Each structure stands twice: as C-alpha cells, then as structure tokens.
C-alpha cells in the first residue's frame, strides 16, 4: 500500500510536509467476500448480491485460514453545522472561496488513505513542534469506511459475515466502539430511512428464513433480546429493553430474567428492535443531543428445529450479539455534571475495561507466559462477553470515529487503543464453547441459588422488583466475598495451626525447663547438704586435731614433770590436771585406737567422781584439780600439810638428803597404797574392755617397781596412772624418781601385774604388822636410808628394794626396818581395815595421797603412831647396839640419823598435833565422805554401760 498522502487537489495548496512517526503499514489483503468465504444458502447470497449491488460496495474479501480479529473503521461524516462553523471562521490570508473545501479538508485530522488505512494528522492548534511530523497512518483495518460510506456498505462488510456464521450455527459478536457522537448508534440502529446493521441483519435473517420456507419447511426459529447495562452511581444494572421488567441478573455469561422475544417475521423484529432502542437510556450532552448512557446489547438466538437432536443442540446455542457501547466522553467536551458525570465515569470505565481485556488477550497471545488477566470481572459487560474477550468466540469490532480536528484526541486515542487489536488471532476457536459456556452458566445458576439462601435480604426497604436486582448485585459481591472469605479462612487455619504448634512447643519447652529447674534445686540442696557434712567433718577434724595436739603436748609434758609438778604449792589444780592429762595420754599410748573409748570411760568416771565430790560439799575439796579437762576437787589442805612437813624437814635437815630418803619410802608407801587404790579403780573400770587392757598394763607398770626397782615402780605408777596428787607428791619429795623412771618398761603381763599387786599388798600388810610389832621400825629404816646418803639420792632410791629385803630380814630377826612414815602406813592400813574393805577397795578412800594424808591426821592413830615409832626406834637402837657389829660408818650414820629421826618423830606428832583440829575433823569427814563417794563411784561404774567406738 502506498503511503497516504493528502488528497491531490490541484486547486488546493500543497499539503504540509509531514514527518511520519510510524513507518507506513502495509495494508492487509482485501478481505475475502463473505459469500466466497463460506458457502451460504442461496437466499443469503442473493440477498448480499442484491444489497451489494444496491449499495455499490465491493464484496467482502474471503477470509483467510488464520482468522484475526476484524477491526473496521468508519469515519463519520462531518456534520453540516460544523462545516458551517468552519466556513464562518475565515482564516487570515486565505481565500474565502476555497474556505469550505479547505476548511473541510483542513479541519479533518483523519482521512482514509486506503480501503484499510487512515491518516491521522495532528491539528495545527494542537501541534507542539511544527517541525515534527504530525500525520500518523493507521493501517491494517479490515476495512476503512469513508464518511461517504453508507449503512449497507457497513453491513455488507462488517455484519454480513457474522450473520452468515450465525446462520451457520456459530456465535458472533459485533461491537461498535468510538467516542460519543461518532455514529455508533447510527451504525447499529440507523434510522428508518437509513437502517443500521441490526435491521439489515434481521432482514438478512428473515430473508434467508423466507427463502428456506419456500424451499423447505422452516427448520429454525429466532428470538431477539435487548438489554442495557447502565450505572446510576451505585453500581451497574442490567435492564431489559424488550420487556417491562426493570432489571436482569447477570449470571456468568447469561442474564437471568432477560426476555427473549421470538422473531416471527421481519416487521415484528424490526418493530421490537425499534422499541427496545427507544427504551434505551439516552441523554443530551454537549457532544451529542441523543447520547447513549448505557451499553446496549442485542442478542439474536437461533433455534434449529431439526429432527436431528445434535443439530438442534448446536443451533440452539448460536447467538449473534451486537453491542452498542456508549462512547467515551471527555468532561470538558460533554460538560456533564452530576448524574451525567457519573454516567460518563461508568461509560469510560467500561470502555477501559473492555479495552484492557482485549489488550490482555493480545499480550497473552503474543507471550503465552503472560497470564490472561481477568479484567472481565471489573464490569458486567466484559463478564457477559467473557468468551469473546478471551478469544474463544469470534468477535468483530467497528470503530466509529469523527474526523474533525476537534475530535482529534478522541480519534487518536481510539485508534491507538484499538489498532493493536487487529493482531488478535482466533486459532483455537472451540465450537463447543457454547456448550461450555452453557454448562458454566448452569453451574453458576445453581451456585447463585445457593448463595441467595445465605444472603441477607431487606424486603422492608426494597420493593419486590428491586429486590431481585439487588440480590443479583449482591450475588456478585458475595461471590467475591466468598473467595476472600475462603482465602481468609485458609489463612486463619494456617495461622491457627502455626499458633497451636508454637503453643505446644512453648509448653513442652516450659515443662523441660521446669524439670531442669527442679533438678537444679535438688542438686543445689544436695551440694548444700554435702557442704554441711564437709563442714561438720572439718569441725570434727579440727577438734580431733586439737585433742591430738593436747595429747602430744601431754606426751611431751610427761618428760618434764619436775618443772610442772613442782608447782604444786603454787597451783595444785594445774599440776593435777596435767597429771591427769598425762595419765590419759600415757594410757592411750599403747593403743591409740582405743583412745576414744578409754577417754570416754575415764571421762564418765571423772564426771561421776566430780558429781560425787560436789554432792558432798566443797569444804573438803577447796582446791579444784584439773583432770583431763574436768575440774575435780582435791584436798589441798592435806597437800599443804605435806608441804609444811616437807618444809619442816628440809628446814631441819637441809644439808642432807635424808629428808628425801626418808620421804622416799614414805612416798613409795603412799604410792603403794595409791596403787592399790588405783588398781581397785581400774578394776572397776575393767568393765570397759578398752580400759581393762590399759589398766592392766598400768598395773603391770607397777609390778616391776616391787620386783625390780622402786624407781621403775614409781615411774610406772606416776607415768601410767599419773594420779595428780600422788605424782606431785612424788615429784616434790623425790624428783629423782622421775629421772630414773624413764628406763622403766611398761609392758607387763596381767599375771605378773596381779602377782605384783598381791606382793605389794602383802608387803603393805607385812609392813603394817612389822609396824605394829616393831615400833622402832622407823629408826632402822632411817638408818638404812642414811647408809646410802653418800651415794646420792638416786642410789638411795635404788636401795629401796633392799629395804624390803631388810624388812624381811628384820622380820626374821624380829626387828623392824626404819620407816619414815609409820603413821601413814598404819593409818592407811587401818583406814582400809577400819572400813572392812579389801585392799582394792581402799581406793574408795579417794585413792589419792590426800586421802592418805587425811588418814595420817587421824587423831587417835596419829597420836599413837609417834609414840610407837619412837619406842620402836629406841628398841631398835638398843638391839642394834648390842646385836650388830657394824662398822663405824654405820654407827656414824646411825648417829647422824638418830637425831634426825628423833627430831622427825618429835616433830611429826608435834606437827600432827599442831595441825588444826579442823583438819582432824576434815580427816574424819573426808574419810567418811570418801567412803560414800567410793560407794557411789562403784555404783556408777556398775550402772553405766561402757561406750564403745
Ligand atoms: N454516518 C453518518 N451519516 C449521517 N449522520 C450520522 C452518521 N453518523 C452519525 N450521524 C449522526 O450523528 C449524530 C450522533 O450520532 P450517534 O448518536 O449515533 O452517535 P453515538 O456514537 O451513538 O453517540 P453516543 O455514544 O453519545 O451515543 C446523530 O444525530 C446521527 O444521525
């Protein structure tokens, strides 16, 4: 096709040079005439031939195999008044005689350049850049109808193919598009003088039907329906134009309530169409005095009355649809206000949605990956025409445009919008699309019926007639709401499921945390209890360490008893306590494992003794003594008495150790007594196993003192028994014993211990007897002791065993050895005898030296003892003078000792008598009290069970 150029008019000036923004489009081949494309009944062909000949239009070109969307362009002729206006406005410098033509041609922005193309020229008034091209050619239309085209020309080329398809059983759609006042309604309906496409189609249909009647019985019938879709600002409505029913309901692609008027003849059909057109909503605007305010749709249903059921079925679904769309309006041009403006919005929106649907179809056909957008949902028109807009049915477009410059924008917009639609192809036309559409429509009807039951109705407000329309609108809304409701429901279920999962997870986690917390608390409690246990154990360990340190200190103290024990005059309690502790420590030495038991038993004994002592008053126990940590009362008066005696002896014989020698046997005797008493105590304690062995060992320690050495016996006694008072007295009187006692052995058998104990007791009894029989025993003893004064105190002490032998000799010779403490021995024995107790029970007299000293202070025996001693001494001296032929030194000794012994004997009773009478009373009371305490102690020892470790 050649480029479109300005109409060659020699008289007119050359057209302005235009720059073509778009390349020239090749015109499509001329359309195949409808008659040649599809063989139709002869009646139809004759009708077209007649009409074509009458209209002098060429026959439509045959359709190609690749069918495309047909787009026709009809250019409306410029109205005469506009032409007059153009003539009335003379252009400066222009020839007025040419003005009409020039005005007509110059005021036109759109001119056909060919059968299928048009040239759109930008008006001078709207040209921004004069240098740029202002003419735009649109090619590819199915046909371009010039303003001079008639209605028949339009029908032949546009509508006749659709009618042929319809009569052949295929549905078709013709849509007239264009701005307001472009001649759409004129093209569709026409006028009585100049009928449009619809009347011509009816004529064609009825003409064919008439021809069929002649040839054969009528095999098909037709029905006509008309409705409009309009909007009054509250939504779209469907109005049936062929009946009095106000509104219809759009159900998918079908309209419920739409009356289909059967077409019996052409006259009735044309009359019906005319009435329907008259009922269409129209209004006057500045652009069109009779402007359509709604989308008008005319449907012609053809029913094939054939005996063949299949054929009837197919024909029954063939629909020929003609849509007269309301033209797009510009507010500035139409000047619409109020309801008109709302109608304009509705019209423009519907036109836009329609165009979007076709655009989407085109894009989808260009690129299958792009989804076919469902813009059809946005308006009733597009919903109704869904099958056409999705390419399943054939559709034809006829664009009505106004060529005037004032309509340039509307024309330009329409051409730019609709020209691409020519590329839409119909490659997959489905003949069964009607069946599918029908099924979908039926399903939709059922669905809508169900939804109606749930819809809220307002019969009080709305009338019965309007209620159905409202329900129809609500059905569409409900369907959309249902989809949204389903989506929200699914989302809600998903969220609820997620929430339930998270809740369960949180609960499980919480439970686990609680369990861990509980375990942690238990662990903390266990750790705390373990700490407490460790703390207690640590305390016990510390206590044990302290006791061990005490024991160690006591063990170390036993080697220095001289220093400590000599302090008896200063602090008797300390020395006694230390001695007691030493006793405990030494008693535990052989077997440290039995330490606790022995200590406990000893403590028990000490406690009982303490109680007994306290219960009998403290007057006799003025000085407290410490015994293994326990305070025990000791008769310090007796100790002080001994001290006084010792001092008096030392004062009289300070230069000699006779005092020590004299007191050594005395202390030995006292220790012997004490041993007996302690032995009795330990026998009482023998109830305890652990203490028995030790006690026996202690007793064993005494035995060698008699059998081997007095020093050893003293050491054994003092170190193993460690009776405080006895020890202190031994130390104070003869400290040499301690130095010699280190060599003593402590391991003795029990048998030996018993034997030695018996020997000791026999010695005591024997001494007593000798004492009674030989009053001069003391002097002889002093003499024996004085024989060894030169050797030293230690040697004199070592000679003590010899004293026993000398005593025995004296017994054989009916003589008594000299003893320093006849009164003590005598008193002690008498104390034991006086109480009618065994020697073991003599310990009941406190078993301590004070007790012995108390016995010494016994007035009756004390007064008797000195006289007996002096007499025995004198008798012994006499016998010795006459009997012994001892050397001179012996005499010297005797001479030296005799005054001392005499003085001692003199001093002893004197001292004894000098003692305050209270001491005598104390001695009596203490002996009686001691007897009582002894009984109590025995009872306690018997009653109390022995604790074992
Ligand atoms: N081809 C034509 N020949 C003669 N007159 C025409 C032609 N087309 C339109 N007209 C006239 O133009 C006027 C407007 O036409 P019409 O109403 O058909 O426009 P329209 O596109 O339908 O407008 P609207 O969209 O507003 O309904 C009418 O009076 C009509 O007679």
């Amino acid at each position: 096709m050649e480029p479109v150029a300005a109409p060659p008019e020699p008289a007119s000036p050359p057209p302005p040079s235009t720059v073509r923004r778009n390349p020239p489009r090749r015109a499509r081949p001329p359309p195949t005439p409808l008659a040649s494309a599809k063989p139709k009944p002869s009646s139809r062909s004759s009708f077209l031939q007649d009409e074509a000949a009458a209209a002098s239009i060429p026959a439509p070109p045959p359709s190609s195999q690749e069918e495309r969307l047909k787009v026709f362009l009809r250019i409306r002729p410029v109205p005469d008044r506009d032409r007059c206006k153009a003539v009335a406005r003379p252009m400066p410098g222009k020839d007025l005689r040419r003005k009409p033509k020039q005005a007509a041609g110059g005021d036109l922005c759109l001119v056909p350049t060919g059968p299928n193309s048009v040239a759109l020229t930008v008006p001078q008034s709207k040209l921004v850049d004069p240098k740029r091209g202002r003419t735009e050619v649109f090619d590819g239309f199915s046909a371009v109808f010039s303003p001079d085209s008639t209605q028949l020309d339009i029908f032949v080329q546009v509508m006749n193919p659709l009618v042929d398809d319809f009569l052949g059983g295929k549905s078709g759609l013709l849509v007239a598009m264009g701005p307001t006042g472009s001649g759409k309604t004129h093209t569709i309906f026409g006028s009585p003088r100049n009928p449009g496409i619809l009347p011509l189609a009816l004529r064609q249909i009825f003409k064919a039907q008439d021809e069929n009647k002649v040839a054969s019985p009528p095999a098909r019938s037709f029905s006509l329906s008309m409705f409009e879709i309009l909007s009054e600002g509250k939504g779209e409505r469907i109005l049936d134009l062929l009946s009095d029913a106000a509104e219809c309901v759009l159900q998918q692609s079908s309209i419920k309530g739409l009356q289909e008027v059967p077409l019996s003849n052409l006259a009735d059909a044309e009359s019906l169409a005319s009435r329907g057109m008259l009922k269409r909503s129209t209004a006057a605007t500045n652009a069109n005095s009779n402007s359509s305010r709604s989308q008008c749709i005319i449907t012609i249903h053809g029913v094939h009355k054939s005996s063949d059921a299949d054929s009837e079925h197919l024909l029954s679904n063939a629909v020929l649809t003609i849509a007269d769309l309301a033209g797009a309006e510009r507010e500035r041009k139409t000047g619409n206000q109020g309801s008109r403006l709302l109608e304009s919005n509705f019209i423009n929106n519907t036109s836009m949605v329609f165009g979007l649907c076709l655009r989407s179809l085109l894009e989808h056909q260009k690129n299958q990956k792009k989804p076919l957008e469902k813009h059809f949902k946005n308006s009733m028109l597009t919903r109704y025409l869904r099958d056409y807009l999705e390419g399943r049915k054939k559709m034809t477009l006829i664009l009505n445009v106004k060529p005037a410059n004032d309509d340039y924008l509307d024309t330009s917009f329409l051409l730019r919008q609709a020209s691409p639609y020519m590329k839409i192809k119909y490659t997959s036309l489905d003949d069964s699309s009607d069946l599918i559409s029908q099924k979908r429509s039926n399903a939709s009807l059922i669905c809508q019926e169900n939804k109606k039951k749930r819809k809220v109705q307002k019969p009080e407000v709305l009338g019965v007639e309007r209620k159905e329309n409202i329900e129809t609108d609500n059905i569409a809304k409900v369907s959309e709401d249902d989809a949204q409701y389903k989506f929200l429901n699914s989302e809600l279920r998903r969220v609820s499921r997620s929430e339930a999962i998270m809740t369960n997870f949180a609960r499980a986690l919480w439970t686990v945390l609680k369990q861990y917390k509980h375990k942690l608390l238990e662990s903390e409690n266990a750790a705390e209890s373990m700490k407490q246990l460790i703390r207690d154990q640590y305390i016990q360990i510390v206590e044990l360490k302290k006791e061990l340190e005490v024991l160690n200190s006591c063990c170390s103290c036993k080697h220095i008893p001289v220093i400590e024990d000599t302090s008896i005059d200063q602090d008797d309690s300390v020395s006694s306590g230390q001695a007691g502790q030493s006793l405990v420590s030494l008693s535990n030495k052989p077997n440290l494992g039995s330490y606790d038991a022995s200590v406990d038993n000893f403590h028990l004994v000490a406690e009982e003794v303490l109680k007994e002592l306290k219960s009998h008053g403290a007057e006799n126990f003025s000085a407290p003594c410490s015994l293994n940590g326990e305070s025990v009362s000791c008769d310090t008066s007796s100790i002080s008495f001994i001290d006084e005696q010792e001092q008096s002896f030392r004062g009289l014989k300070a230069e000699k150790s006779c005092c020590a020698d004299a007191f050594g046997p005395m202390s030995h005797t006292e220790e012997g007594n004490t041993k007996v008493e302690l032995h009795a105590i330990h026998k009482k304690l023998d109830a305890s196993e652990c203490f028995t062995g030790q006690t026996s060992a202690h007793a064993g320690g005494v035995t060698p003192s008699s059998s081997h050495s007095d020093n050893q016996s003293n050491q054994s006694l003092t170190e193993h028994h460690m009776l405080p008072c006895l020890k202190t007295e031994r130390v104070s009187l003869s400290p040499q014993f301690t130095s010699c006692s280190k060599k003593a052995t402590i391991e003795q058998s029990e048998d030996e211990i018993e034997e030695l104990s018996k020997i000791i007791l026999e010695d005591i009894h024997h001494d007593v007897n000798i004492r009674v029989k030989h009053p001069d025993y003391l002097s002889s003893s002093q003499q024996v002791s004085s024989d060894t004064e030169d050797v030293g105190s230690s040697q004199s002490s070592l000679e003590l065993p010899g004293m026993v032998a000398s005593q025995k000799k004296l017994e054989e010779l009916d003589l008594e050895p000299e003893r320093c403490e006849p009164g003590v021995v005598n008193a002690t024995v008498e104390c034991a005898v006086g109480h009618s107790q065994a020697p073991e029970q003599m310990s009941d007299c406190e078993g301590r030296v004070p007790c012995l000293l108390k016995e010494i202070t016994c007035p009756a025996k004390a007064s008797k003892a000195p006289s007996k001693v002096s007499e025995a001494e004198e008798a012994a001296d006499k016998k010795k003078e006459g009997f012994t032929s001892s050397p001179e030194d012996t005499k010297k000794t005797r001479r030296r000792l005799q005054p001392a012994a005499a003085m001692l004997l003199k001093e002893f009773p004197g001292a004894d008598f000098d003692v305050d009478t209270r001491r005598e009373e104390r001695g009596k009371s203490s002996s009686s009290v001691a007897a009582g305490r002894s009984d109590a102690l025995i009872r306690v020892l018997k009653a109390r069970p022995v604790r074992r470790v």
Side-chain angles (χ1 to χ4, degrees):
M1 182 175 179
E2 295 179 359
V4 177
E9 292 184 2
S12 63
S17 60
T18 60
V19 178
R20 304 180 66 84
R21 290 182 293 180
N22 297 328
R25 296 180 180 179
R26 290 185 301 175
R28 296 175 62 184
T32 303
L34 185 61
S36 61
K38 292 181 180 180
K40 298 297 179 181
S42 58
S43 60
R44 176 180 174 274
S45 300
S46 61
F47 173 76
L48 288 176
Q49 290 174 358
D50 296 341
E51 293 294 328
S56 302
I57 58 174
S63 60
S64 61
Q65 294 181 354
E66 185 182 17
E67 295 188 46
R68 290 176 179 268
L69 176 62
K70 295 179 180 179
V71 178
F72 297 92
L73 179 63
R74 183 180 186 184
I75 301 172
R76 179 198 164 188
V78 177
D80 293 338
R81 56 185 179 88
D82 294 340
R83 188 174 299 173
C84 294
K85 289 181 181 177
V87 171
R89 288 182 298 176
M91 299 295 292
K94 299 293 181 180
D95 189 358
L96 294 177
R97 291 177 300 177
R98 295 181 179 176
K99 282 182 180 175
K101 289 187 179 178
Q102 291 176 354
D107 293 339
L108 299 177
C109 64
L110 180 67
V111 293
T113 57
N116 306 106
S117 62
V118 292
L120 180 64
T121 302
V122 179
Q124 189 67 31
S125 61
K126 295 182 173 59
L127 189 61
V128 178
D129 186 4
K131 295 181 180 179
R132 296 185 62 181
R134 58 178 184 176
T135 301
E136 184 177 7
V137 176
F138 294 93
D139 194 7
F141 293 101
S142 299
V144 174
F145 301 100
S146 64
D148 299 333
S149 300
T150 61
Q151 297 282 62
L152 185 59
D153 297 339
I154 303 299
F155 174 78
V156 171
Q157 295 193 30
V158 175
M159 190 61 193
N160 195 33
L162 293 176
V163 172
D164 291 342
D165 290 342
F166 168 71
L167 294 175
K170 293 183 179 178
S171 300
L173 172 63
L174 175 64
V175 178
M177 299 177 62
T180 180
S182 60
K184 298 181 293 294
T185 304
H186 175 77
T187 302
I188 299 299
F189 292 96
S191 60
R193 294 183 180 180
N194 193 8
I197 294 176
L198 178 59
L200 295 175
L202 291 174
R203 291 178 189 180
Q204 181 69 16
I205 292 172
F206 279 100
K207 185 178 181 180
Q209 186 174 9
D210 292 341
E211 292 175 355
N212 291 334
K213 285 181 181 177
V214 175
S216 62
R220 52 187 176 182
S221 62
F222 300 95
S223 63
L224 179 66
S225 63
M226 294 179 62
F227 64 94
E228 63 177 357
I229 301 173
L230 73 164
S231 173
E232 296 177 350
K234 296 181 180 179
E236 296 176 316
R237 300 171 56 191
I238 298 177
L239 298 178
D240 190 355
L241 299 177
L242 300 180
S243 66
D244 296 336
E247 290 186 11
C248 298
V249 177
L250 177 64
Q251 297 176 352
Q252 296 294 330
S253 297
S254 63
I255 298 174
K256 184 181 179 182
L258 182 64
Q259 185 177 5
E260 295 184 358
V261 179
L263 299 177
S264 58
N265 52 56
L266 178 59
D268 295 342
E270 292 179 348
S271 174
L272 187 62
S274 298
R275 290 200 307 268
M277 186 190 66
L278 295 176
K279 293 179 64 174
R280 185 183 181 186
S281 300
T282 59
T285 63
N286 294 338
N288 188 0
S289 58
N290 193 17
S291 175
S292 303
R293 311 315 298 171
S294 63
Q295 322 291 353
C296 180
I297 299 172
I298 303 105
T299 57
I300 301 172
H301 293 267
V303 179
H304 190 266
K305 298 180 179 179
S306 174
S307 59
D308 189 357
D310 295 337
S311 300
E312 185 177 0
H313 178 74
L314 291 174
L315 289 175
S316 63
N317 291 286
V319 179
L320 180 60
T321 305
I322 300 172
D324 179 16
L325 303 183
E329 296 178 349
R330 294 182 182 273
E331 182 180 357
R332 187 180 61 180
K333 195 171 185 178
T334 58
N336 290 335
Q337 294 180 354
S339 60
R340 296 286 87 81
L341 185 59
L342 295 177
E343 292 171 354
S344 296
N345 294 334
F346 159 73
I347 293 169
N348 294 334
N349 183 53
T350 303
S351 299
M352 181 185 67
V353 171
F354 186 84
L356 289 176
C357 291
L358 293 177
R359 188 80 180 187
S360 177
L361 178 61
L362 177 63
E363 296 296 331
H364 176 68
Q365 289 182 352
K366 287 182 178 178
N367 186 3
Q368 296 294 330
K369 294 181 180 179
K370 291 184 178 180
L372 183 60
E373 300 292 341
K374 298 181 178 180
H375 297 292
F376 67 90
K377 294 182 178 180
N378 295 326
S379 69
M380 284 188 177
L381 175 68
T382 53
R383 287 207 300 268
Y384 180 76
L385 302 176
R386 177 182 177 181
D387 292 338
Y388 298 98
L389 296 176
E390 290 182 348
R392 288 190 291 270
K393 291 182 179 179
K394 186 181 289 184
M395 181 175 63
T396 300
L397 294 179
I398 181 171
L399 306 179
N400 294 96
V401 293
K402 291 185 292 186
N405 288 335
D406 295 340
D407 301 321
Y408 170 80
L409 294 178
D410 296 335
T411 303
S412 173
F413 176 79
L414 178 63
L415 292 175
R416 292 177 183 177
Q417 176 189 7
S419 60
Y421 301 156
M422 296 182 290
K423 300 177 182 177
I424 294 175
K425 302 175 183 178
Y426 293 104
T427 56
S428 60
L429 291 175
D430 188 5
D431 294 337
S432 62
S433 60
D434 294 337
L435 180 60
I436 297 172
S437 176
Q438 186 64 30
K439 290 181 178 178
R440 187 168 59 234
S441 177
N442 295 334
S444 176
L445 289 173
I446 296 171
C447 182
Q448 295 295 338
E449 289 293 336
N450 295 331
K451 290 177 180 178
K452 274 186 177 180
K453 298 176 182 177
R454 300 194 302 266
K455 191 175 65 176
V456 179
Q457 299 180 357
K458 299 179 180 179
E460 300 82 4
V461 180
L462 302 175
V464 177
E465 294 180 354
R466 293 178 64 84
K467 184 169 62 179
E468 294 181 356
N469 296 330
I470 292 173
E471 288 178 354
T472 304
D473 295 338
N474 290 334
I475 286 171
K477 294 179 181 178
V478 168
S479 60
E480 296 177 357
D481 294 342
D482 283 345
Q484 189 175 3
Y485 176 75
K486 290 179 181 177
F487 174 75
L488 293 176
N489 266 343
S490 62
E491 288 293 319
L492 183 61
R493 284 194 296 270
R494 186 179 62 81
V495 171
S496 300
R497 189 163 51 250
S498 301
E499 183 180 1
I501 292 171
M502 294 303 296
T503 304
N504 293 332
F505 177 74
R507 286 177 181 173
L509 183 61
W510 181 254
T511 304
V512 171
L513 290 176
K514 287 174 67 178
Q515 291 177 355
Y516 274 107
K517 182 181 179 182
H518 183 67
K519 291 181 179 179
L520 182 62
L521 291 176
E522 290 180 349
S523 301
E524 289 179 352
N525 293 331
E528 193 65 25
S529 60
M530 290 298 295
K531 286 181 180 179
Q532 185 64 29
L533 182 61
I534 292 171
R535 198 177 297 114
D536 296 340
Q537 292 294 330
Y538 179 75
I539 293 171
Q540 292 181 1
I541 291 170
V542 170
E543 291 176 353
L544 292 174
K545 282 184 177 179
K546 289 180 179 179
E547 293 180 358
L548 183 60
E549 290 176 357
V550 171
L551 294 175
N552 290 333
S553 62
C554 292
C555 291
S556 60
C557 290
K558 74 176 185 178
H559 301 291
I560 50 174
V562 177
I563 298 173
E564 295 179 356
D565 294 341
T566 50
S567 62
I568 187 172
D569 297 337
Q570 300 173 356
D571 189 359
D572 294 335
S573 63
V574 173
S575 59
S576 301
Q578 291 176 348
Q581 290 178 354
S582 301
L583 173 63
V584 173
S585 62
L586 291 174
S587 63
N588 282 316
K589 257 191 172 182
N591 185 10
L592 293 175
S594 60
Y595 164 76
D596 292 335
S598 59
V599 169
D600 291 339
N601 292 327
F602 199 83
H603 286 187
L604 292 173
V605 174
E607 288 176 2
E608 296 299 335
V609 170
L610 178 62
K611 290 179 181 178
E612 290 294 330
L613 294 175
K614 288 182 178 179
S615 63
H616 290 82
E619 64 277 5
N620 295 326
F621 309 97
S622 58
C625 295
S626 175
L627 180 59
N628 194 19
E630 300 291 341
S631 63
V632 179
S633 298
C634 297
D635 194 348
T636 55
S637 60
S638 300
I639 297 174
S640 60
F641 174 70
I642 294 172
D643 197 15
E644 290 174 0
Q645 287 183 341
E646 182 181 5
Q647 290 177 358
S648 63
F649 286 134
R650 288 182 179 178
L652 292 174
K653 296 184 179 292
E655 71 281 4
K656 295 182 181 180
S657 61
C658 178
C659 179
D661 295 338
F663 274 86
M666 183 186 68
S667 61
H668 183 210
T669 305
E670 293 171 357
E671 288 177 356
N673 296 332
T674 306
K675 282 192 296 183
V676 173
E677 296 169 359
L678 286 174
H679 188 68
I681 292 173
H682 288 302
K683 282 189 176 181
K684 298 296 181 183
L685 292 174
D686 281 345
S688 172
E689 294 179 358
C690 57
F691 209 71
T692 301
Q694 295 176 2
T695 308
S696 301
H698 301 160
V702 175
T703 304
S705 63
S706 301
S707 60
H708 302 288
S709 170
D710 288 342
N711 289 335
Q712 293 178 353
S713 65
N714 290 332
Q715 183 183 12
S716 300
L717 178 64
T718 55
E719 291 187 359
H720 291 274
H721 293 272
M722 297 297 287
L723 287 174
C725 297
L726 178 60
K727 177 185 175 184
T728 53
E729 183 154 342
R730 177 190 65 79
V731 170
S732 59
L733 293 178
S734 66
Q736 293 82 1
F737 286 0
T738 57
S739 61
C740 297
S741 64
K742 292 179 181 178
K743 298 178 182 178
T745 59
I746 59 175
E747 296 178 355
Q748 297 294 337
S749 63
E750 293 181 355
D751 296 335
E752 292 176 349
I753 293 170
E754 292 178 356
E755 291 176 359
L756 292 174
S757 300
K758 291 178 180 178
I759 292 169
I760 292 169
L761 291 174
E762 289 175 359
D763 290 341
I764 292 171
H765 286 285
H766 182 68
D767 291 342
V768 171
N769 293 330
I770 290 174
R771 173 69 179 79
V772 172
K773 292 177 179 179
H774 304 281
D776 55 345
Y777 174 78
L778 179 60
S779 58
S780 60
S781 176
Q782 287 178 342
Q783 187 177 2
V784 173
S785 299
S786 61
D787 294 337
T788 61
E789 62 179 1
D790 296 335
V791 180
S793 60
S794 60
Q795 291 180 352
S796 65
S797 298
L798 292 174
E799 291 175 358
L800 287 175
M803 294 174 63
V804 177
S806 63
Q807 288 178 0
K808 291 181 179 180
K809 291 178 179 179
L810 290 175
E811 283 182 358
E812 292 175 357
L813 297 175
D814 196 16
L815 293 175
E816 288 185 16
E818 293 182 356
R819 300 289 296 263
C820 294
E821 69 294 359
V824 173
V825 175
N826 189 20
T828 303
V829 174
E830 287 179 1
C831 176
V833 173
H835 286 83
S836 299
Q837 293 174 341
E840 294 80 359
Q841 294 176 347
M842 291 175 66
S843 61
D844 293 343
C845 300
E846 287 296 318
R848 293 180 175 85
V849 172
C851 177
L852 301 176
L853 296 179
K854 291 170 195 169
E855 299 296 338
I856 290 172
T857 57
C858 180
K861 296 179 178 63
S863 59
K864 191 189 296 184
S867 60
K868 290 181 179 180
V869 170
S870 59
E871 291 175 0
E873 187 178 3
E874 290 175 357
D877 290 339
K878 290 177 180 179
K879 287 180 180 180
K880 288 179 180 178
E881 288 177 357
F883 176 74
T884 60
S885 58
S886 59
E888 294 179 358
D889 51 354
T890 304
K891 294 179 180 178
K892 292 179 181 177
T893 304
R894 185 178 59 185
R895 285 194 295 272
R896 282 182 292 180
L897 291 174
Q898 191 172 6
M903 292 177 66
L904 177 61
L905 292 173
K906 291 177 181 177
E907 290 294 332
F908 193 82
D912 191 13
F913 286 111
D914 291 338
V915 175
D916 193 7
T917 54
R918 292 176 296 179
R919 295 186 177 180
E920 297 176 357
E921 295 176 356
R922 284 181 186 174
K924 293 178 180 178
S925 61
S926 62
S927 62
S928 61
V929 169
R933 286 198 294 268
S934 302
D935 296 336
L937 179 60
I938 291 169
R939 288 196 300 272
V940 169
L941 292 174
K942 289 181 179 179
R944 183 180 291 274
V946 179
R947 287 189 299 176
R948 297 176 182 271
V949 176

